[in-house]
Amino acid sequence: MGQKTSNTTSNKAANSSFFSFLKRFSPPKPSSDKTTSPRTGIFAKLTPNKSMDFTRLISNCISFASTRTQEYLVFKDPEGKFLPSSQALTQVFLMTYITQSVNLDYTDTFNCTAMTPEQRILLGADWVWAILEKPTKNPKIQIAVQVLHLPEREEAEEREAEGKPVSESIQMAQMESRNKNAYERMVDFCTSIGKDCYALFLFFGKRDDRENIYGVLSNNFEADVGKLRSNSPDLSWC
Amino acid sequence: MAATQDVKGKGEGGDQNFDYMFKLLIIGNSSVGKTSFLFRYADDAFTSAFVSTVGIDFKVKTVYKNDKRIKLQIWDTAGQERYRTITTAYYRGAMGFILMYDITNEESFGAVQDWSTQIKTYSWDNAQVVLAGNKCDMEEERVVSVDSGRLLAEQLGFEFFETSAKDNINVKQTFERLVDLICDKMSESLDTDPAVTSGAPTAKLTDSAPPLQQPGCNC
């Protein structure tokens, strides 16, 4: 059912299936005839040129974001004081990705919309990638992404959050969404749009490989929504 | 029109005490300015950068009206057709709609009738609607006249405002009028048949007096 994505952090060169997927829907060439400003360091490596296709650009941005996130994922504070939160890891990934994509100037073709805290609860997605149609800029294909973290990281945060005030709008969003878990909500969201909306569950570490990032992608999770319910919150079926 | 008074400065955790809660929706074609309109009203902010709304989102704002505290849960809907299934699911229980078009976009005005049909299909009969012709600051690019907007509103039985989220024109007034209409409708329904409004979808009562069950609602 699900299409396994590459392990983006452990093997940067092999951005296989997820990017093959993107390639199916990508425009023929980036509109990158325009001159781009010179970049240094890692950005120099990502500067688009005529030979670099659109898929590669996205692939590089995601790989770079994954690598940056991995630095925090594997971080171990000798004194045990610092432990990046789930939210921080997601933000590191997104901020890195967005910085790269803006620098490469392809956001009018493949954009990334980060959800508001309320939307994250209502729709179950952390962000949504979209291949945009020109000139309308309407999404042609979308990928809603939900990040999953190691259970112990989330449990520690839940303990820490206990008793802390939650904003009114967050409470309302939780009330609206109380009948379904986050996986089901995202699958529902994608299903409501149709087959051109894919759900991507990104795993920031998994039990037997805590230092890498994995993903599973499908536009047909609804076929197995019972499994989502019975196995939550671990998604161990992946 | 009875004036409503904004309540600002709510901290984390929010305010759980309120007399009524109204669920409102802003609907209309993509890029007519629904999100900007809500940001102007809820946060008094405006940015010209266009970010298409994904699915649905909402903000909460509390207003006072005749010493009653009214919590507005304002849903911002995506205008694109691909989100229609998810957005119409939220019509259920809405007490008021702001149906928005863009005065510089004829197509968005032409779609008003369809949006009105959507309200009738997915909402309840007592839902109140205000038609808003947004971007009235862009006079030079206007393609929909004020009279056309007003006439259509009359035909559909809606109230009408021309608005600008950018220049903050008639934003607060639109919401105030919608709140007034909902309150009037509640009072009217109570006068005729108390049972009608006891089932009002999202009017939420506090632990104290249950206003919806009292005749002559005076919100």
Side-chain angles (χ1 to χ4, degrees):
Chain A
M1 172 194 78
Q3 180 178 358
K4 281 232 170 126
T5 69
S6 61
N7 177 341
T8 54
T9 52
S10 61
N11 184 358
K12 282 185 273 179
N15 295 301
S16 56
S17 51
F18 177 57
F19 302 113
S20 308
F21 158 79
L22 282 177
K23 207 162 195 171
R24 280 160 48 204
F25 302 106
S26 60
K29 282 281 174 194
S31 57
S32 57
D33 281 348
K34 61 182 88 167
T35 52
T36 51
S37 56
R39 297 181 177 87
T40 56
I42 187 72
F43 298 109
K45 292 179 196 166
L46 293 173
T47 302
N49 57 47
K50 285 176 185 173
S51 63
M52 191 183 241
D53 71 15
F54 177 73
T55 312
R56 177 61 68 86
L57 288 179
I58 298 169
S59 154
N60 281 347
C61 286
I62 294 175
S63 289
F64 188 57
S66 302
T67 306
R68 171 65 59 82
T69 308
Q70 192 186 30
E71 291 169 13
Y72 295 90
L73 201 60
V74 302
F75 172 74
K76 284 190 179 65
D77 177 17
E79 296 183 15
K81 288 177 184 163
F82 293 117
L83 179 68
S85 68
S86 303
Q87 184 68 6
L89 289 170
T90 304
Q91 287 171 345
V92 165
F93 183 97
L94 260 189
M95 286 190 290
T96 312
Y97 172 81
I98 290 169
T99 304
Q100 299 294 328
S101 63
V102 168
N103 270 302
L104 291 173
D105 196 22
Y106 66 68
T107 52
D108 60 343
T109 309
F110 186 77
N111 82 346
C112 174
T113 308
M115 299 293 96
T116 64
E118 291 80 10
Q119 282 179 310
R120 281 207 299 272
I121 296 168
L122 295 167
L123 308 177
D126 289 297
W127 69 87
V128 177
W129 275 314
I131 298 172
L132 304 178
E133 233 167 23
K134 285 183 177 173
T136 63
K137 291 198 174 180
N138 284 334
K140 189 161 64 174
I141 301 291
Q142 286 174 295
I143 304 165
V145 185
Q146 182 184 122
V147 178
L148 293 109
H149 302 269
L150 288 167
E152 54 267 38
R153 193 184 294 275
E154 290 189 332
E155 283 160 14
E157 282 165 24
E158 278 167 21
R159 281 196 299 275
E160 210 168 281
E162 270 173 26
K164 284 189 182 171
V166 179
S167 80
E168 181 173 45
S169 58
I170 293 296
Q171 286 178 36
M172 284 185 180
Q174 287 168 341
M175 279 291 285
E176 287 283 336
S177 314
R178 63 187 177 279
N179 295 328
K180 294 195 170 173
N181 66 36
Y183 321 123
E184 291 172 313
R185 289 197 295 274
M186 189 163 87
V187 172
D188 278 358
F189 169 56
C190 294
T191 307
S192 77
I193 294 172
K195 290 293 180 194
D196 54 1
C197 183
Y198 291 71
L200 171 62
F201 291 99
L202 266 189
F203 296 80
F204 282 10
K206 63 190 188 80
R207 279 176 183 154
D208 56 351
D209 183 2
R210 310 169 66 82
E211 299 183 349
N212 280 311
I213 296 177
Y214 291 81
V216 57
L217 174 86
S218 175
N219 64 349
N220 195 34
F221 278 119
E222 68 272 20
D224 279 311
V225 84
K227 288 183 187 175
L228 289 169
R229 179 170 283 279
S230 60
N231 285 300
S232 64
D234 296 336
L235 273 180
S236 51
W237 50 276
C238 292
Chain B
M1 183 200 317
T4 55
Q5 187 186 340
D6 293 357
V7 182
K8 290 182 177 169
K10 296 295 171 203
E12 286 289 304
D15 181 1
Q16 299 304 313
N17 297 315
F18 52 90
D19 300 292
Y20 302 92
M21 184 164 78
F22 293 168
K23 177 179 176 179
L24 312 178
L25 262 79
I26 309 176
I27 62 171
N29 272 17
S30 181
S31 81
V32 298
K34 299 180 290 296
T35 304
S36 295
F37 195 76
L38 178 54
F39 266 72
R40 173 61 77 188
Y41 182 60
D43 302 335
D44 196 20
F46 178 82
T47 170
S48 54
F50 173 64
V51 178
S52 184
T53 301
V54 171
I56 193 133
D57 201 0
F58 76 96
K59 283 182 177 289
V60 179
K61 187 172 170 90
T62 307
V63 294
Y64 276 118
K65 183 168 150 55
N66 297 339
D67 294 330
K68 298 288 184 191
R69 215 176 329 199
I70 303 175
K71 190 146 290 194
L72 305 179
Q73 188 188 46
I74 310 164
W75 292 83
D76 175 26
T77 63
Q80 290 168 356
E81 178 69 36
R82 66 195 285 107
Y83 299 115
R84 203 53 51 83
T85 305
I86 194 160
T87 53
T88 51
Y90 284 86
Y91 283 34
R92 192 165 161 267
M95 302 174 82
F97 289 82
I98 293 171
L99 200 175
M100 185 170 288
Y101 67 90
D102 170 0
I103 66 148
T104 71
N105 183 327
E106 183 79 47
E107 193 183 336
S108 71
F109 183 65
V112 166
Q113 179 69 61
D114 291 338
W115 287 108
S116 168
T117 306
Q118 297 263 320
I119 294 172
K120 287 185 174 66
T121 306
Y122 296 103
S123 182
W124 68 323
D125 291 343
N126 286 334
Q128 301 299 303
V129 186
V130 174
L131 181 65
N134 196 34
K135 306 191 188 180
C136 73
D137 56 286
M138 298 170 73
E139 193 56 47
E140 288 179 0
E141 293 171 53
R142 176 191 286 277
V143 292
V144 182
S145 70
V146 185
D147 288 342
S148 302
R150 193 175 292 124
L151 182 65
L152 180 59
E154 276 174 20
Q155 287 169 353
L156 294 169
F158 302 159
E159 296 273 331
F160 175 69
F161 286 94
E162 280 209 344
T163 62
S164 167
K166 186 181 178 190
D167 288 356
N168 200 5
I169 298 168
N170 281 339
V171 176
K172 192 176 171 192
Q173 290 84 340
T174 302
F175 279 99
E176 284 182 351
R177 186 65 192 130
L178 186 55
V179 168
D180 284 347
L181 289 168
I182 294 168
C183 287
D184 291 348
K185 191 70 186 177
M186 283 165 65
S187 300
E188 191 184 297
S189 302
L190 281 165
D191 288 343
T192 53
D193 180 7
V196 172
T197 46
S198 62
T202 55
K204 211 167 183 174
L205 308 180
T206 57
D207 295 331
S208 55
L212 286 178
Q213 292 167 8
Q214 295 172 345
C217 161
N218 192 31
C219 74

